[in-house]
């Protein structure tokens, strides 16, 4: 005989004011299987929990029902109390007579009846529970960070400082991402490289961090605590173990006119190159596509001049496999390809229409113009500069519906820099709105306006070249009149979009992207750094457009999440997960595609059928991945899947208790 | 349409003789002129019994499920509608593609033995085309190893969802009255389930005793549980072969509810027809996507 104990909580007057708790307890005593029932003022208090223990001893109870508040709140407390009383913590059911009854009803009689019904259901449910045990899975104490921008570096450093090894994979030849390309950063106008390159160096030197640059993650198997990762280290053609980074090769390489992506196309580099002088690692690689030795078997000058003999023309890609317990995604952003979309701005045929990132290189003292704002076409200093915001942002026809968040501020920064650096300059910003939510941001924008920057509200409808001027036509929507500016330089604040290949890497790692291709967080408000895949976390602009302070904060946040996973040798898994009844499972696999956590695979079993042994496939749940959401249970037609702790039988028993 | 029986017999004979298949499923002429029941043969001598006449209306594909563990290879004849059922069974991984040799038969419409009986006709030419064939969109097999006969043009006229719209036009009370009057007729013979190519589980949820979701007694309440659950289990998977409605001895408009669900899926997820492409990307109700419409949240 099962012996259920029912405990009805008053929650002070929270429940008792509307529900006659004493009557609920008295009625509960009559339900089948109930051996003891009582009401109490505060079940969650120590005396309340002791009550459970005492009642179990005195009345030999083997199952517990608590009628109180939401399980979100105190289920763990009562499970522990059940366990302390010597009963398996899953032989327990909680029913909510506060949020579901007293807080939403006023009629005492009817509310009490509803509470009685809820307890009746909980008792029926608990009668069908079976003891469940937590299982544990081992944790590999190492993290993988994909992407070495400020987000990835911050995450790697914080995880490493927590004492766990980190592998940082960056596909470019240097870590750093976009930040070292920037000149100054809003709103403090401190030099971007000066705060970023020390971070790069610390990342490089940290004993717990291993960096693979010029590398990509090719394959990820496994699950939280136990990922197996395959990294492709692309051929560098320079042996970094021997290379001292002296840079002699770069000075001698005859192929000097290759556009440098670090300069956003505003400057050139050689075929053997470091992206910039502070690159980390501070050693060159050969860009095979542009190397005369590798393409035509000519030249070979770098090998001749290298004092250490580090050049390796026969270098090959290498595959590296590592085990990690947690993954942080930090693949950042790219800029919207405006040239393909904006015909009215010339599809990129006017050299003096540039992007914000190119402007960053122009004002940067270590950039191609040594920090002098000179326009690309003729190298002259522009006097009249037009900035256009929201190019590709907030434009669901040609671009993206969303706001890119950083452009208002960096355009204010650029406008300020233009006024500051160019005497007698005339700076006009075309804008849709000015959004300056952030500490010190509005003040920064106001200062720009005070600097004399002219803000015009409206979109630019056309740009065309006339002589050495760019004619910019738009509308001032506040004055309701057409505006024309004869500009020397036009700077477009282009939208931030997910970095190239981010969809593919999301697929490889096994989580989803949102409608714009940014990585999908598990909950937009409450779980912004998690994905639906346990053990995979998000940081920085890969999750959505954001500036450096938010990116760094997310890097640290994701690191805290990853460190929490790595802080244990093994991880307890909640037993409230899905289970498969092999005998019933037909192996149709509908659950495989349904599971948001990729926790289901088909596995082969052998069984006796029709007098012989046959092999067939059935679903199999990975207890490390299953989150117990129950999606598969609803999808499984034959009922081969069942959620432990919420079995179909338990739910049917509840329904029967209520309806029969 | 010329009579393909000759070709069918010849092919079946060859397949059995050279051991390419272990058995053949087709149709034979029944005892009555308006019956052409399924035929199962394993010996080449028997192939002369095969026919494909006006009454070869039964879909044969669910019989494949009986042999799913046998490791044997079956040669099976399929019409357009049947072939979609076969795609269903293959997509549900209940049999391997290699375990069937599919002989496609383009079909310009069959006749229903029950209509033959009720119309008082004395020969096939007097019997109207079967109701389900009037709405046929796929007269030609969508999957086959070999095809016998010329392709046929789809002649479906009218609206795929006309019957659904009739229901949608009713008030809630009228709908309830309509469906309860239909479901109270049900005998729970389960013929509709047994004939359905989407009902291909090894163990049907209705047959499982723990938990028992469907009581044995026949009453309106349980009949409704049966019909609504059946419709949901076929949701996004029903291939519109119309077999369930054809076999129902009580004339319950089973396809009307199936089509309502199909219409909803089309409205929510865009145009979709189940069982048309074997290697389609997962069907709308068979995948999890964060972009799935969730209007209630
Ligand atoms: C013109 C301009 C000016 C700006 N000015 C400011 C400013 O003044 N202040 C401010 O706060 N913010 C500014 N920002 C925003 C700032 O650039 C971003 O907030 C910041 O760079 C985001 O960092 P991140 O690490 O998320 O991404 P990123 O800097 O883009 O770094 C991502 C890294 O991941 C790597 N990666 C991508 N995919 C893969 C892959 N599959 N495998 C391996 N590695 C990969 C990339 O190569 C890159 O190194 C500006 C942005 C622009 C466009
Ligand atoms: S319960 Fe949810 S998480 Fe677990 S296997 Fe089923 S669908 Fe996946
Ligand atoms: S075939 Fe008809 S009578 Fe038989 S179970 Fe189905 S609906 Fe009911």
């Amino acid at each position: 005989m099962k012996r259920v104990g029912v405990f009805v909580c008053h929650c002070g007057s929270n429940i008792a004011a509307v529900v006659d708790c004493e009557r609920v307890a008295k009625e509960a005593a009559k339900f089948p299987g109930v051996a003891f029932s009582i009401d109490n003022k505060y079940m969650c208090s120590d005396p309340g929990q002791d009550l459970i223990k005492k009642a179990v001893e005195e009345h030999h109870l083997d199952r517990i029902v608590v009628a109180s508040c939401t399980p979100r709140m105190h289920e763990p407390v009562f499970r522990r109390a059940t366990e302390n009383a010597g009963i398996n913590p899953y032989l327990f059911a909680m029913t909510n007579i506060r949020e579901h009854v007293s807080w939403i009803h006023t009629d005492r009689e009817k509310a009490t009846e509803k509470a009685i019904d809820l307890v009746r259901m909980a008792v029926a449910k608990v009668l069908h529970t079976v003891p469940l045990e937590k299982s544990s899975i081992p944790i590999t104490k190492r993290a993988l960070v994909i992407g070495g921008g400020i987000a990835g570096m911050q995450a790697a450093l914080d995880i490493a400082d927590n004492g766990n090894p980190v592998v940082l994979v960056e596909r470019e030849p240097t870590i750093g991402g976009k930040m070292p390309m920037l000149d100054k950063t809003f709103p403090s106008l401190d030099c971007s490289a000066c705060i970023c390159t020390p971070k790069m160096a610390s990342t490089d030197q940290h004993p717990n961090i291993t960096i693979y640059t010029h590398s990509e993650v090719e394959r990820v198997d496994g699950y939280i605590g136990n990922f197996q990762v395959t990294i492709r280290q692309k051929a560098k053609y320079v042996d970094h173990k021997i290379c001292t980074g002296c840079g002699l090769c770069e000075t001698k390489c005859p192929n000097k006119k290759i556009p440098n992506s670090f300069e956003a196309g505003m400057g050139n580099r050689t075929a053997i190159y470091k992206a910039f002088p502070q690159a980390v690692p501070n050693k060159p690689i050969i860009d095979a596509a542009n190397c005369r030795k590798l393409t035509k078997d000519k030249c070979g000058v770098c090998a001749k001049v290298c004092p250490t003999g580090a050049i390796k023309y026969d270098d090959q890609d290498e595959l590296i496999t590592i085990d990690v317990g947690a993954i942080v995604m930090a693949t950042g952003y790219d800029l919207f390809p405006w040239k393909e979309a904006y015909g009215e701005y010339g599809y990129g045929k006017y050299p003096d229409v540039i992007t914000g990132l190119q402007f960053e290189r122009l004002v940067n003292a270590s950039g191609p113009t040594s920090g002098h704002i000179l326009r690309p076409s003729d190298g002259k200093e522009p006097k009249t500069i037009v900035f256009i915001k929201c190019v590709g942002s907030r434009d669901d026809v040609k671009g993206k519906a969303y706001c890119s968040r950083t452009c208002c501020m960096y355009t204010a920064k650029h406008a300020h820099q233009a006024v500051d650096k160019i005497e007698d300059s005339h700076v006009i910003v075309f804008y849709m709105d000015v959004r300056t939510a952030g500490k010190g941001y509005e003040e920064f924008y106001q200062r720009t306006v005070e600097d004399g920057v002219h803000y015009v509200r409206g979109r630019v409808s056309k740009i065309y070249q006339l002589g050495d001027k760019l004619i910019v036509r738009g509308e001032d929507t506040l004055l309701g009149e057409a505006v024309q500016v004869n500009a020397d330089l036009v700077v477009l604040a282009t939208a931030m979009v997910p970095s190239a290949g981010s969809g593919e890497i999301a697929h490889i790692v096994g989580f989803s992207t949102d409608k714009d291709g940014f990585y999908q967080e598990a909950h937009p408000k409450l779980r912004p750094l998690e994905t639906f895949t346990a053990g995979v976390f998000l940081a920085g602009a890969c999750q959505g457009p954001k500036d450096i302070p938010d990116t760094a904060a997310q890097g640290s946040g994701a690191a805290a999440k990853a460190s929490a996973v790595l802080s244990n040798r093994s991880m307890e898994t909640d037993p409230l997960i899905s289970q498969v009844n092999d005998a019933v499972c037909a192996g149709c696999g509908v659950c495989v595609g349904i599971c948001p956590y990729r926790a289901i695979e088909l596995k082969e079993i052998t069984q006796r059928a029709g007098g012989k042994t046959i092999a067939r496939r059935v679903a199999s749940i990975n207890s490390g991945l299953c989150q117990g959401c129950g999606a598969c249970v609803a999808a499984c037609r034959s009922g081969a899947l069942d959620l432990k702790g919420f079995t179909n039988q338990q739910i049917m028993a509840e329904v029967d208790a209520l309806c029969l | 349409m010329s009579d393909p029986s000759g070709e069918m017999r010849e092919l079946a004979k060859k397949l059995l003789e050279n051991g390419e298949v272990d058995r053949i499923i087709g149709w034979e002429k029944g005892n009555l002129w308006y019956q052409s029941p399924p035929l199962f043969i394993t010996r080449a001598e028997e192939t002369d019994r095969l026919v494909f006449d006006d009454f070869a209306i039964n879909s044969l594909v669910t019989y494949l499920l009986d042999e799913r563990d046998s490791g044997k290879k079956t040669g099976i004849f399929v019409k357009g509608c049947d072939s979609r059922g076969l795609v269903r069974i293959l997509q549900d991984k209940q049999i391997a593609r290699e375990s069937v040799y599919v002989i496609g038969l383009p079909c310009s419409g069959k006749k229903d033995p029950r209509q033959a009986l009720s119309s008082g006709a004395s020969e096939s030419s007097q019997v109207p085309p079967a109701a389900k064939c009037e709405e046929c969109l796929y007269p030609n097999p969508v999957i086959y190893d070999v095809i016998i006969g010329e392709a046929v043009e789809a002649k479906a006229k009218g609206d795929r969802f006309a019957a659904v719209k009739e229901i949608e036009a009713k008030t809630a009370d009228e709908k309830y009255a309509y469906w309860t009057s239909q479901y109270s007729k049900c005998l729970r013979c389960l013929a509709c389930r047994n004939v359905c190519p989407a009902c291909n589980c090894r163990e049907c949820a209705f047959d499982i005793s723990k938990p028992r979701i469907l009581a044995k007694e026949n009453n309106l309440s349980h009949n409704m549980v049966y019909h609504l659950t059946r419709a949901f289990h076929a949701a996004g998977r029903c291939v519109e072969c119309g077999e369930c409605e054809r076999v129902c001895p009580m004339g319950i408009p089973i396809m009307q509810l199936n089509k309502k669900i199909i219409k909803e899926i089309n409205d929510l997820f865009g145009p979709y027809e189940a069982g048309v492409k074997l290697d389609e990307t997962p069907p709308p109700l068979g995948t999890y996507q964060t972009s799935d419409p969730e209007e209630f949240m």
Side-chain angles (χ1 to χ4, degrees):
Chain A
M1 256 311 264
K2 291 164 186 163
R3 297 177 64 83
V4 181
V6 176
F7 300 84
V8 184
C9 182
H10 293 207
C11 194
S13 62
N14 267 306
I15 296 171
V18 183
V19 173
D20 181 347
C21 296
E22 206 185 317
R23 199 177 125 212
V24 176
K26 275 211 187 96
E27 286 296 319
K30 302 178 199 158
F31 299 157
V34 174
F36 173 77
S37 94
I38 197 167
D39 58 311
N40 181 274
K41 197 143 187 144
Y42 286 110
M43 277 309 296
C44 60
S45 66
D46 284 347
Q49 294 181 51
D50 283 345
L51 190 61
I52 297 180
K53 202 169 177 176
K54 252 190 263 141
V56 169
E57 277 163 22
E58 282 169 24
H59 301 273
H60 309 291
L61 305 176
D62 60 8
R63 267 142 232 265
I64 303 295
V65 167
V66 176
S68 57
C69 50
T70 162
R72 284 250 163 198
M73 182 116 173
H74 282 325
E75 193 174 55
V77 171
F78 294 129
R79 266 206 214 293
R80 232 178 296 123
T82 305
E83 196 171 13
N84 290 341
I87 301 178
N88 180 286
Y90 294 91
L91 294 177
F92 159 79
M94 190 167 175
T95 190
N96 184 354
I97 58 167
R98 193 179 72 181
E99 283 84 345
H100 288 182
V101 184
S102 66
W103 280 0
I104 54 166
H105 298 303
T106 47
D107 184 325
R108 190 172 171 82
E109 179 56 33
K110 285 189 180 155
T112 304
E113 262 162 39
K114 180 170 170 184
I116 292 169
D117 278 341
L118 289 175
V119 173
R120 193 196 316 270
M121 290 164 69
V123 169
K125 181 182 178 202
V126 86
L127 284 172
H128 287 94
T129 53
V130 292
L132 299 174
E133 299 299 336
K134 291 192 168 166
S135 59
S136 79
I137 48 175
I139 301 274
T140 307
K141 285 174 163 284
R142 183 185 297 116
L144 169 72
V145 176
I146 306 181
I150 184 63
M153 292 191 293
Q154 187 67 50
L157 283 167
D158 287 3
I159 297 170
D161 283 345
N162 249 306
N164 287 307
V166 183
V167 170
L168 175 64
V169 176
E170 166 60 57
R171 70 175 166 203
E172 294 297 320
T174 175
I175 58 170
K178 305 287 183 307
M179 195 171 161
M181 298 169 74
L182 308 180
D183 180 41
K184 304 251 183 318
T185 57
F186 61 75
S188 47
L189 288 182
D190 41 358
C191 152
S192 187
C194 313
I195 53 177
C196 185
T197 49
K199 267 247 165 1
M200 292 163 62
S202 323
T203 309
D204 191 28
Q205 285 151 15
H206 202 296
N208 279 346
I209 300 179
T210 311
I211 301 177
Y212 291 102
T213 51
H214 203 44
S215 300
E216 284 189 62
V217 170
E218 203 157 272
R219 196 187 157 105
V220 175
D221 294 309
Y223 49 90
I224 181 169
N226 300 277
F227 295 105
Q228 292 92 44
V229 181
T230 309
I231 301 165
R232 177 177 292 270
Q233 165 73 73
K234 289 176 274 183
K236 293 174 171 165
Y237 307 100
V238 178
D239 186 343
H240 281 198
K241 282 191 220 73
I242 312 178
C243 170
T244 58
C246 70
L248 196 57
C249 49
E250 284 179 89
T251 60
K252 300 289 186 224
C253 177
N255 216 356
K256 294 191 189 313
K257 286 262 178 311
I258 306 160
N260 189 354
S261 58
F262 183 81
E263 300 293 359
M266 307 289 285
N268 295 330
R269 61 165 169 83
T270 43
I272 187 165
Y273 75 108
K274 290 185 266 186
F276 63 107
Q278 293 86 11
V280 168
N282 204 288
K283 292 172 185 179
I285 66 155
I286 296 180
D287 161 11
N290 286 301
C291 166
R292 292 182 191 179
K293 175 76 186 169
L294 291 170
T295 54
K296 303 193 190 100
D297 200 19
K298 291 196 180 120
C299 184
V301 78
C302 45
K304 285 180 208 133
V305 299
C306 176
T308 64
I311 308 295
K312 251 170 74 180
Y313 294 122
D314 60 352
D315 199 12
Q316 298 284 330
D317 286 9
E318 201 186 320
L319 291 181
I320 301 153
T321 49
I322 50 159
D323 292 339
V324 300
I327 300 177
V328 175
M329 299 301 301
T331 55
Y333 69 101
D334 273 336
L335 291 180
F336 177 76
W338 72 274
K339 290 181 183 174
E340 287 152 33
Y342 283 85
E344 63 266 46
Y345 302 162
Y347 287 127
K349 66 174 180 266
Y350 311 129
D352 296 331
V353 179
I354 62 171
T355 66
L357 207 51
Q358 291 176 311
F359 187 84
E360 293 281 351
R361 297 312 300 157
L362 281 186
V363 278
N364 196 307
S366 61
T369 55
S370 307
H372 301 291
I373 304 174
L374 302 176
R375 57 185 207 165
S377 62
D378 52 11
K380 284 196 196 136
E381 187 176 71
K383 290 290 174 197
T384 305
I385 305 182
V386 167
F387 290 90
I388 306 177
K389 296 207 299 189
C390 296
V391 177
S393 303
R394 304 176 68 194
D395 180 351
D396 47 12
V397 180
K398 287 194 177 133
K400 307 288 171 187
Y402 56 82
C403 161
S404 291
R405 282 187 63 191
T406 54
C407 329
C408 281
M409 285 303 293
Y410 75 63
T411 301
K413 171 182 77 176
H414 293 166
H416 161 84
Q417 287 173 308
V419 175
D420 195 44
K421 288 208 167 185
I422 302 172
E423 234 178 291
D424 318 320
S425 60
H426 182 35
V427 177
I428 302 110
V429 177
F430 282 92
Y431 71 102
M432 292 181 31
D433 289 291
V434 180
R435 297 178 170 176
T436 57
K439 204 164 165 178
Y441 287 13
E442 176 64 16
E443 298 90 316
F444 183 89
Y445 158 64
Q446 289 303 342
R447 228 176 304 140
T448 306
V449 175
E450 282 157 26
D451 288 343
V453 174
H454 192 61
Y455 270 75
V456 179
R457 184 176 180 144
R459 279 221 192 242
V460 168
S461 54
K462 181 108 194 116
I463 301 174
Y464 59 93
Q465 188 96 41
L466 197 70
D468 72 341
K469 290 280 178 195
L470 287 164
I471 314 299
V472 180
R473 287 204 169 149
E475 197 195 354
D476 186 330
T477 53
L478 294 182
L479 299 176
E481 59 190 30
V483 188
Q484 176 170 323
V485 184
N486 297 350
D488 301 311
L489 181 69
V490 177
V491 184
L492 308 178
T494 42
M496 286 166 98
V497 295
S499 63
S502 58
E504 287 78 12
I505 189 76
H507 186 75
I508 290 170
V509 180
F511 60 91
S512 42
T513 53
D514 65 19
K515 67 179 194 327
D516 295 309
F518 289 109
Y519 297 156
Q520 179 73 48
E521 63 279 4
H523 189 282
K525 292 167 212 108
L526 303 178
R527 294 170 66 196
L529 305 178
E530 287 150 85
T531 63
F532 284 110
T533 303
V536 179
F537 307 104
L538 304 177
C542 59
Q543 180 262 345
K546 57 183 61 69
D547 58 17
I548 295 163
D550 287 359
T551 298
Q554 280 202 342
S556 292
K561 287 272 169 200
S563 301
V565 172
L566 304 184
S567 64
N568 299 303
R569 283 198 172 283
S570 63
M571 194 179 73
E572 280 203 327
T573 57
D574 198 348
L576 300 179
I577 59 171
S578 190
Q579 61 187 348
V580 185
N581 181 345
D582 287 357
V584 173
C585 175
C588 73
V590 70
C591 50
V592 174
I594 289 279
C595 176
Y597 303 97
R598 299 211 305 189
I600 311 182
E601 276 176 353
L602 293 179
K603 68 162 188 207
E604 195 159 289
I605 56 161
T606 50
Q607 74 172 61
R608 296 288 294 170
K612 53 184 183 149
T613 305
I614 57 151
R616 64 184 191 93
R617 309 221 303 154
V618 295
S620 138
I621 310 284
N622 182 318
S623 64
L625 292 176
C626 175
Q627 307 285 314
C629 71
C632 57
V633 179
C636 179
R637 298 176 288 279
S638 56
L641 290 167
D642 217 353
L643 196 57
K644 289 192 244 178
F646 294 91
T647 59
N648 290 334
Q649 198 173 15
Q650 287 177 296
I651 290 167
M652 290 297 281
E654 285 187 275
V655 174
D656 285 348
L658 184 66
C659 304
L660 291 186
Chain B
M1 193 177 69
S2 60
D3 180 10
S5 316
E7 252 182 277
M8 288 166 66
R9 291 171 190 174
E10 217 170 288
L11 176 61
K13 195 165 176 187
K14 201 185 83 201
L15 290 172
L16 284 170
E17 266 171 4
N18 59 24
E20 246 188 276
V21 302
D22 300 300
R23 62 166 187 168
I24 294 275
I25 312 180
W27 303 267
E28 70 175 332
K29 199 58 221 159
N31 294 334
L32 301 163
W33 61 268
Y34 52 80
Q35 282 180 340
S36 303
L39 172 68
F40 304 83
I41 45 180
T42 52
R43 289 178 306 147
E45 306 89 87
E46 296 171 312
T47 49
D48 281 349
R49 287 161 65 188
L50 284 164
V51 298
F52 188 61
D53 66 358
D54 282 355
F55 294 99
I57 189 166
N58 302 45
S59 169
L60 308 171
V61 295
T62 46
Y63 294 118
L64 291 170
L65 297 171
D66 301 340
E67 296 282 328
R68 64 183 133 191
D69 299 326
S70 71
K72 290 191 179 144
K73 182 155 181 172
T74 305
I76 190 166
F77 290 97
V78 296
K79 307 185 289 293
C81 49
D82 309 344
S83 73
R84 290 179 65 191
L86 178 59
V87 169
R88 169 85 281 130
I89 290 172
L90 289 169
Q91 283 181 333
D92 291 343
K93 305 184 181 64
Q94 294 311 300
I95 56 167
R97 180 67 182 86
E98 312 81 69
S99 73
V100 271
Y101 186 86
V102 187
I103 310 151
L105 292 164
C107 165
S108 44
K110 294 289 156 199
K111 292 176 180 175
D112 187 337
R114 225 146 354 118
Q115 268 172 293
L117 208 54
S118 61
S119 64
S122 55
E123 57 169 60
S124 179
S125 62
Q126 296 162 359
V127 184
K132 73 168 199 173
C133 300
E134 298 277 55
E135 295 174 19
C136 178
L137 292 170
Y138 288 87
N140 302 302
V142 297
I143 180 176
Y144 52 82
D145 292 306
V146 65
I147 205 148
I148 296 179
E150 297 290 307
V152 172
E153 215 171 299
K155 59 169 182 205
K157 35 196 177 296
D159 184 352
R160 183 177 171 208
F161 297 120
V164 178
K165 289 175 187 158
E166 255 171 54
I167 297 287
E168 286 173 342
K170 292 184 196 291
T171 65
D173 286 345
E174 285 166 356
K175 280 180 201 165
Y176 190 76
Y178 175 75
W179 287 116
T180 49
S181 77
Q182 295 293 354
Y183 294 148
S184 54
K185 295 191 287 194
C186 175
L187 309 169
R188 218 94 70 61
C189 66
L190 305 188
C192 47
R193 174 196 73 179
N194 295 350
V195 78
C196 174
C199 284
N200 55 34
C201 291
R202 281 177 179 260
E203 295 246 11
C204 176
F206 296 130
D207 297 338
I208 290 172
S209 53
K210 229 177 164 190
R212 180 95 214 163
I213 59 169
L214 186 67
K216 297 244 179 201
E217 76 247 52
N218 183 303
N219 60 27
L220 177 61
S221 157
H222 281 286
N223 289 356
M224 281 173 81
V225 169
Y226 170 69
H227 278 274
L228 300 184
T229 310
R230 191 208 57 76
F232 272 108
H233 284 190
R237 310 172 56 253
C238 168
V239 296
E240 297 177 75
C241 66
E243 283 288 272
C244 50
E245 191 167 306
R246 180 182 70 79
V247 299
C248 178
M250 303 311 293
I252 296 172
I254 304 173
M255 280 307 289
Q256 210 171 8
L257 183 57
N258 288 347
K259 290 219 176 185
K260 167 70 180 165
I261 296 178
I262 292 168
K263 182 166 175 273
E264 291 295 311
I265 290 171
N266 277 270
D267 290 349
L268 278 169
F269 300 94
Y272 181 67
E273 285 180 300
V276 176
K277 265 195 252 108
L278 184 57
D279 52 354
E280 65 177 348
T281 47
L285 297 192
T287 29
Y288 169 83
Q289 260 155 7
T290 46
S291 56
D292 285 342
E294 257 183 335
E295 279 145 26
F296 54 92
M297 275 176 91

